[in-house]
Every structure is written in structure tokens, then in C-alpha cells.
Amino acid sequence: MISWIVNLTKRRDDAIDFNSIVVLIKAVDVMDMDGVGEMSIFMRTLIAGGVKKIAVDMEKLTFIDSSGIAVLIESAKMLRRNGGDIVLLNVPSRIRTIFQPIRMNRFISCFESESDVRTYFVVT
């Protein structure tokens, strides 16, 4: 997992408008039982902190197991309870093959470009 922390406000006491921010997380290498714990904590922390829109870029992801899928589904449920959503970006064909039996695309939208993600979040 790769993430960047950016300065979202001009001053320390400025409120952050989480409705206008999409957090981009880059999933790299493997999302399996051994390594997904940190991502789960990170996602929960973001959501508890007010984040409403998350895009997970999977371009560099080589494998995901049921633990990784569970983190994505749990995050989607938490975000939707708070009026937000999660989307997947650049999902490799080998990962799409893993998602097909559980019809992941019916629960979490997948996009091919960042501009499609921006458009989706502007409309929703």
C-alpha cells in the first residue's frame, strides 16, 4: 500500500470539506491475510476521520485473497453508511478474474482512468 499525506487546508484551523476530496490509495504487490491488516487499520482510520470518497488504484497489485476482498467490502459498507463510496481503479485482468465469481463489480465500481473516477464522484 502506498499513500500520500497532503496539505488539505490553508491554515491549521480550516475545516476540511470531505465531500470534495477523493483519497487515492495505491495497492501494490499482494493484499492477503499476511499483509492486509495495516490496510484495514488505515482505511478505518480514514473513514473514522471523515473521508467519504476513496479510490483504490490496483495497477501494481499482483494478488488478492479473501482477506483483501473483505477489507474492500468492509470499507465500502462503512463509507456508504456515512454517505460515501469506494471505487477500484486500473484493476488488472488477473485480479478481475478473482473478482468474477463473487461479482465484485456489482458491489464496488471499477474504472480504467482517474478522470472516470473523478466524473463518478462528481455525479454521486
Side-chain angles (χ1 to χ4, degrees):
M1 173 181 63
I2 298 174
S3 59
W4 289 287
I5 305 299
V6 295
N7 185 7
L8 301 174
T9 63
K10 295 176 185 166
R11 299 185 335 230
R12 281 188 184 170
D13 57 347
D14 284 348
I16 298 171
D17 178 10
F18 285 108
N19 290 312
S20 64
I21 295 170
V22 177
V23 174
L24 176 64
I25 297 171
K26 295 194 177 219
V28 296
D29 300 325
V30 175
M31 284 180 64
D32 64 2
M33 186 184 337
D34 294 332
V36 80
E38 289 179 4
M39 184 166 187
S40 177
I41 292 168
F42 184 65
M43 297 288 262
R44 287 174 185 239
T45 302
L46 286 173
I47 296 165
V51 169
K52 293 186 176 194
K53 301 172 182 178
I54 297 177
V56 179
D57 187 339
M58 299 187 144
E59 183 176 27
K60 305 265 186 201
L61 191 68
T62 59
F63 178 76
I64 189 169
D65 71 2
S66 60
S67 299
I69 293 169
V71 168
L72 296 173
I73 291 172
E74 178 186 342
S75 298
K77 289 178 179 179
M78 290 171 49
L79 284 161
R80 290 173 184 160
R81 276 194 299 266
N82 296 326
D85 205 359
I86 187 171
V87 299
L88 306 177
L89 173 64
N90 299 321
V91 181
S93 60
R94 62 190 170 279
I95 303 297
R96 285 186 188 269
T97 301
I98 296 169
F99 288 167
Q100 283 176 346
I102 60 169
R103 298 182 182 185
M104 185 75 145
N105 64 330
R106 296 180 86 191
F107 188 69
I108 299 177
S109 298
C110 298
F111 297 97
E112 299 298 321
S113 72
E114 286 186 28
S115 64
D116 290 341
V117 170
R118 281 191 288 272
T119 300
Y120 173 80
F121 279 125
V122 168
V123 173
T124 58

